[in-house]
Amino acid sequence: MATDTLVACAIARAVADSYPVHLLPPVTISCSHEHAAWPGTVSISAVTLHAVVRDIADSLRRSGIDTLVLVNGHGGNYVLGNVVQEASARGERMALFPAPEDWEAARARAGVVTSLLTDMHAGEIETSILLHTSPEVLRPGYETSDHVSDDRRHLLTTGMSAYTDSGVIGRPSLGTAEKGKELLTSLADSFGAYFSLLTSDS
């Protein structure tokens, strides 16, 4: 139930180890409506998540912090892209990280075999990051839980349960701690362009 938060926090820590940034506590409940078939899944509406992030950004600005990067660990948080679009249009400094291109660069650097399409949920990437940062949270059996479902065109209508019984879509069997370390190193390197853009005076 905490994987996406753990992954986002690991990325944020890797960034903070390399750049002069401050870490905020994670927002641990977001838009996971596609997982509603699994008991224990708790979601808030996209409107609520939008408002929470805007309120946080407004509060930070009142404290003199005018730049915010949203580190997203969950693919269903589509609204975060809108939050950043709107903030940027208002002249505020905000970014969403990592972008798909950052994940693709990290995947290539770490030697992740699974494509980003196939590696949707609890697959090689997430398993590798957790093996590197929080191996104790992985339950036995992930090594034999691979499940591929690349055609997910009706995901938003049917939810994840139409495509997987276990919640896995990807190949966790291919995950390693070494890949996890390289994924985070690559993402930290990719963040350099965001840092330069957000701290530029031009």
Side-chain angles (χ1 to χ4, degrees):
M1 304 305 288
T3 294
D4 292 349
T5 299
L6 292 171
V7 168
C9 287
I11 295 168
R13 281 193 301 270
V15 167
D17 287 343
S18 300
Y19 303 90
V21 299
H22 300 284
L23 294 178
L24 290 168
V27 177
T28 58
I29 298 177
S30 59
C31 303
S32 297
H33 309 282
E34 70 275 22
H35 300 288
W38 283 274
T41 301
V42 180
S43 292
I44 57 177
S45 71
V47 172
T48 300
L49 182 57
H50 190 295
V52 167
V53 175
R54 277 206 62 184
D55 285 353
I56 291 170
D58 289 345
S59 181
L60 289 171
R61 275 192 301 280
R62 287 193 294 272
S63 298
I65 300 170
D66 66 355
T67 304
L68 180 63
V69 176
L70 311 179
V71 178
N72 183 35
H74 175 55
N77 291 333
Y78 309 109
V79 71
L80 294 180
N82 299 118
V83 175
V84 173
Q85 283 178 320
E86 294 166 18
S88 298
R90 291 190 299 268
E92 300 166 16
R93 292 180 186 245
M94 190 181 290
L96 180 59
F97 182 79
E101 293 84 355
D102 302 311
W103 278 116
E104 189 57 54
R107 188 186 75 80
R109 177 167 167 176
V112 169
V113 177
T114 316
S115 71
L116 292 181
L117 172 65
T118 299
D119 195 67
M120 185 215 181
H121 195 255
E124 185 177 1
I125 288 175
E126 289 185 337
T127 300
S128 293
I129 291 175
L130 291 181
L131 283 170
H132 174 56
T133 61
S134 308
E136 70 281 359
V137 305
L138 284 163
R139 286 187 284 184
Y142 73 87
E143 308 91 338
T144 57
S145 297
D146 292 7
H147 176 73
V148 174
S149 182
D150 284 350
D151 186 346
R152 303 183 298 269
R153 70 186 74 191
H154 303 299
L155 176 69
L156 298 180
T157 302
T158 63
M160 284 274 290
S161 61
Y163 298 97
T164 172
D165 293 330
S166 67
V168 174
I169 297 181
R171 297 187 177 96
S173 69
L174 299 177
T176 69
E178 292 75 18
K179 289 177 184 177
K181 181 179 180 181
E182 284 301 310
L183 284 162
L184 293 176
T185 299
S186 177
L187 290 172
D189 288 347
S190 291
F191 186 78
Y194 294 78
F195 186 80
S196 297
L197 179 65
L198 291 170
T199 58
S200 170
D201 291 331
S202 58

